[in-house]
Amino acid sequence: AMLSTAFVFKPDTIMFDLEDAVSLREKDAARMLVFHALQMPVYGDMETAVRINPLSTPFGLKDLEAVVRAGVDVVRLPKTDTADDVRALEAEVERIERDCGREVGSTKLMAAIESASGVVNAVAIATSSKRLVGIALAGFDYVMDMQTERGDGSELFYARCAVLHAARFAKIDAFDVVFSDVNDDAGFLKEVDLIRRLGFNGKSLINPRQIDLLHNAFAPTQEEVDYSRRVVAAAEQGEKQGLGVVSLNGKMIDAPVIEHARVVLRRAEASGVRQ
Ligand SMILES: CC(=O)SCCNC(=O)CCNC(=O)[C@H](O)C(C)(C)COP(=O)(O)OP(=O)(O)OC[C@H]1O[C@@H](n2cnc3c(N)ncnc32)[C@H](O)[C@@H]1OP(=O)(O)O
Ligand SMILES: O=C([O-])CC(=O)C(=O)O
Ligand SMILES: [Mg+2]
């Protein structure tokens, strides 16, 4: 039921899961359902992703064959421990694209980092393939690997920073962990505020009620938008006068401030203004 209705919630990307949300007995049935769902016209205009099983399992390659042929936009590789995991995936994707006549390079990849090995290798992973559009931290498997548990976020601090730096270095997106208590809006928003300020581009979500909350928290405030408009106007004025640095109400406006203002305006265009 979720496969055929999920589009109504308008997430930025809809991700179908074939990995840990699917029991071992249902793997083949789930793959067939996702293969058909991806070809439904309603998903034609949306970005689609599928989390396949790791290629080291008996399911991974079958998943990949099905979803690349069905035209998925992004393949999410779970439990990515090394850059070789991504390169092995990329080689298979290229073979399947050639086999089925899909444009080579059109299938994008996202790597989920879920272990100490993945975090230590984050830079190598993030730079392992031109197809990678982002890396995501997956908190539940990660804390298990680290012999700890989810708490106030301090247990994820190093991993968040490592994943974020690797993504910025590779010039791709960074996505934060799933927040599992779908009834705890306050806890969710506290975590979102932290990861937004750290610099994450977004977050993996598991429930439609989390979508608007996340979009709203990432949208700039009216105050930020107004200030950014004034910054851009002052910068354009300065440029006409041939000035490298201009001042706005006594504050220095230079290139990083102007670039930040443009980012704020782009976010407002994408998500509106925070309510
Ligand atoms: C650690 C990991 O690997 S996380 C990644 C894998 N796990 C997942 O993706 C989990 C997906 N999410 C879910 O299964 C559920 O949202 C749960 C179990 C977290 C919460 O379930 P509930 O409390 O029943 O959700 P809720 O009451 O909000 O559901 C409301 C409606 O939204 C739908 N819905 C809930 N989650 C989703 C979802 N992820 N995608 C699409 N539709 C959804 C429900 O089917 C329900 O529809 P209905 O009103 O037509 O019956
Ligand atoms: O990939 C994700 O976002 C969720 C996940 O598997 C984890 O936290 O272990
Ligand atoms: Mg996991």
Side-chain angles (χ1 to χ4, degrees):
M2 285 190 200
L3 286 178
S4 54
T5 56
F7 67 93
V8 302
F9 301 113
K10 302 220 178 320
D12 296 327
T13 301
I14 179 123
M15 179 154 30
F16 301 129
D17 187 23
L18 295 175
E19 200 219 9
D20 285 352
V22 177
S23 71
L24 287 179
R25 278 184 311 170
E26 307 263 37
K27 292 289 185 192
D28 293 336
R31 185 183 312 115
M32 280 311 290
L33 286 173
V34 166
F35 176 75
H36 290 298
L38 286 168
Q39 295 169 82
M40 284 167 56
V42 285
Y43 292 117
D45 309 331
M46 287 195 72
E47 186 173 64
T48 54
V50 176
R51 180 167 77 163
I52 62 167
N53 288 279
L55 292 185
S56 56
T57 68
F59 316 110
L61 197 51
K62 288 184 189 163
D63 295 343
L64 192 67
E65 290 274 359
V67 303
V68 172
R69 283 169 201 275
V72 73
D73 296 312
V74 182
V75 173
R76 172 146 159 159
L77 184 66
K79 302 187 174 70
T80 311
D81 291 337
T82 66
D84 279 347
D85 292 342
V86 180
R87 285 192 276 265
L89 176 69
E90 180 171 47
E92 295 292 355
V93 169
E94 182 157 340
R95 176 186 59 75
I96 300 166
E97 282 174 343
R98 284 186 201 288
D99 254 24
C100 70
R102 191 173 161 170
E103 187 190 334
V104 172
S106 60
T107 314
K108 302 298 175 204
L109 306 179
M110 179 190 291
I113 290 181
E114 315 201 18
S115 66
S117 165
V119 170
V120 168
N121 292 322
V123 173
I125 290 170
T127 52
S128 59
S129 165
K130 282 204 176 72
R131 292 176 188 256
L132 271 179
V133 290
I135 51 176
L137 182 61
F140 289 94
D141 278 294
Y142 171 74
V143 292
M144 203 170 63
D145 194 44
M146 294 302 291
Q147 302 176 17
T148 180
E149 55 196 43
R150 283 302 312 271
D152 65 359
S154 49
E155 71 287 353
L156 295 179
F157 202 67
Y158 179 76
R160 277 181 168 144
C161 294
V163 164
L164 203 44
H165 278 78
R168 289 291 88 88
F169 177 71
K171 303 210 179 322
I172 59 176
D173 285 341
F175 297 100
D176 188 51
V177 300
V178 157
F179 187 86
S180 65
D181 185 350
V182 298
N183 295 317
D184 179 7
D185 287 359
F188 175 75
L189 287 172
K190 193 166 168 220
E191 182 161 285
V192 170
D193 187 51
L194 171 73
I195 61 109
R196 184 183 55 79
R197 284 186 290 111
L198 284 173
F200 277 92
N201 300 94
K203 193 167 173 63
S204 308
L205 304 181
I206 52 165
N207 186 277
R209 281 180 281 138
Q210 297 177 323
I211 297 171
D212 281 350
L213 291 175
L214 184 80
H215 281 166
N216 192 48
F218 265 77
T221 63
Q222 187 63 54
E223 220 177 355
E224 286 171 314
V225 171
D226 293 344
Y227 179 69
S228 299
R229 284 206 183 107
R230 289 201 297 277
V231 167
V232 170
E236 284 169 2
Q237 185 67 24
E239 209 171 293
K240 273 188 208 145
Q241 296 167 347
L243 302 171
V245 180
V246 289
S247 119
L248 181 65
N249 301 334
K251 259 195 180 165
M252 181 182 81
I253 305 293
D254 59 359
V257 178
I258 298 162
E259 183 47 35
H260 176 72
R262 293 203 164 110
V263 170
V264 169
L265 295 179
R266 278 203 298 276
R267 278 208 176 145
E269 235 170 74
S271 311
V273 171
R274 198 178 309 168
Q275 301 301 316

